[in-house]
Amino acid sequence: MATKVQGAGSLWNKNSWHWEEKNFSGWAKEQLKLRLSSVVVDTEDKLVRVTNIESVDGEASVNIRKGKKILIFEFDIKGTWEGQVKSSNLNVTGSLHLPDVCQDAENEDVEVRVSVNSSADGADSLYQLMRRDAAAAIRTHIREFIDDLKRADGGQDTLEEDQRRRQEELARMQQAAEEKGREKERLLQLAREQEAARKAEEARKAEEAQRAGAAPVPVQRHEAGQGSLWNANSYFWEEKPLTEVGKKLLTDTLLATSITVPGGDIRISEITSIDGEASANIRKGKKIVGYQFDLKAKWTGEIRDGDGNVLVKTGGLLQLPDIAEDVEDDKYEVRFTVDDNTPATLSLKQAMSKQGTQGIRDAVKQFVEQLKKL
């Protein structure tokens, strides 16, 4: 049975819920060699000790799942020992074998096989001392090794540090959301100012034309349900092109969007093309905004540690093939590819599939709201 204690995963691993594996094979082998090489049993007339750990074959890992740390390891250990009868100066050597050192050793005795390379008088007494007392010391060292492995990936201090890092990440996500809201408001205000300037310029040209005795230049009005001055009561059908301003607004909105994901963020790095058109139509005092765009872009994403160092970075292509007035806000189709589609970038791919696509839909929804106000 795998040993389970409370554990903490990486920041991308929300609530340390998903399976995460960390390799501790090298560390475990060094610790086992160091501990077992120190085994000595010294009595009044006899002494036995482990002289060399010749091989430690196997592997160890610390795994995180559902907030629990799961230790999994299995080793086959071989070594040598020597013994001495002090009164007779008898010296013997032998071999040592631990065929199955695994996580079950915490609750069960590890099998310790001992052999002696001598049949001289007194050799059996050294063999028995090694098989009984030295084997007990070996089992104690194995249990202590398991305790150290539990702490190797952090104890209570690490759990507290993990909580601190997650709180900092939550605060950063909240700040990013606030900044995103302010950026949306800035873009909306900019669109309003540009529209006001355009209207003022059209009014100025109309006034100059009237002074010169020419026919009035129609002044386009974009308030809800109002057409140009010539369109009495805004009754007749009137179409006003919004294609270019719509493409620019869509580009600015998406490039300003930063989507917060666990441990990092996702951004639209480049708009490669926007095909389609948009227009505002007036009929019987009603304003109808029509639009249909096919957008292609590139995206990038990063996951960082608590110090801001980049752990995972990737990107890919993005397409929104049908941004249209007859598509519901949460139904925009978002297609994407991943340049580096490897296990290392799986967390970012999953974040793009969930938070990324939803964040893009929210940005398109904001673009539509602004377009309807033009």
Side-chain angles (χ1 to χ4, degrees), residues 104-263:
D104 296 335
E106 185 176 24
N107 301 311
E108 301 175 7
D109 284 342
V110 174
E111 180 182 3
V112 180
R113 300 176 184 174
V114 178
S115 66
V116 62
N117 299 328
S118 174
S119 59
D121 292 341
D124 184 66
S125 64
L126 293 172
Y127 164 75
Q128 294 297 336
L129 184 63
M130 185 69 192
R131 190 177 67 85
R132 183 185 64 251
D133 294 10
I138 287 171
R139 293 186 180 102
T140 297
H141 278 299
I142 295 297
R143 285 190 288 271
E144 291 174 349
F145 157 77
I146 295 174
D147 290 338
D148 283 351
L149 181 58
K150 290 178 183 178
R151 294 187 291 266
D153 192 41
Q156 185 61 33
D157 291 344
T158 297
L159 292 174
E160 293 174 357
E161 175 65 15
D162 176 69
Q163 290 299 317
R164 183 191 66 79
R165 290 188 298 121
R166 292 183 186 277
Q167 289 172 0
E168 290 179 352
E169 179 64 14
L170 177 61
R172 193 187 71 80
M173 291 171 65
Q174 291 172 342
Q175 180 181 359
E178 292 175 359
E179 291 176 352
K180 178 180 177 181
R182 289 194 292 268
E183 180 62 18
K184 288 181 178 178
E185 181 60 30
R186 185 189 70 80
L187 288 172
L188 180 57
Q189 182 60 30
L190 178 61
R192 289 170 179 165
E193 292 173 355
Q194 290 174 341
E195 180 64 9
R198 186 188 62 77
K199 289 179 180 179
E201 179 64 16
E202 288 179 351
R204 184 187 64 78
K205 290 181 178 179
E207 184 178 354
E208 290 179 353
Q210 285 179 329
R211 289 175 182 172
V217 177
V219 178
Q220 295 187 10
R221 301 179 187 274
H222 288 275
E223 292 80 11
Q226 293 187 3
S228 300
L229 286 176
W230 59 264
N231 192 349
N233 299 319
S234 300
Y235 188 84
F236 301 100
W237 182 274
E238 180 181 359
E239 181 174 295
K240 303 179 181 181
L242 294 178
T243 299
E244 294 307 314
V245 68
K247 289 182 178 181
K248 184 178 186 306
L249 180 59
L250 180 56
T251 297
D252 292 344
T253 302
L254 289 179
L255 290 181
T257 298
S258 176
I259 303 166
T260 301
V261 300

Side-chain angles (χ1 to χ4, degrees), residues 74-115:
E74 185 173 8
F75 291 105
D76 184 313
I77 303 173
K78 295 179 181 179
T80 59
W81 66 278
E82 65 180 10
Q84 179 184 20
V85 177
K86 300 176 185 179
S87 59
S88 64
N89 290 324
L90 172 66
N91 293 286
V92 300
T93 61
S95 62
L96 174 70
H97 186 198
L98 284 69
D100 187 25
V101 178
C102 65
Q103 57 273 358
D104 296 335
E106 185 176 24
N107 301 311
E108 301 175 7
D109 284 342
V110 174
E111 180 182 3
V112 180
R113 300 176 184 174
V114 178
S115 66

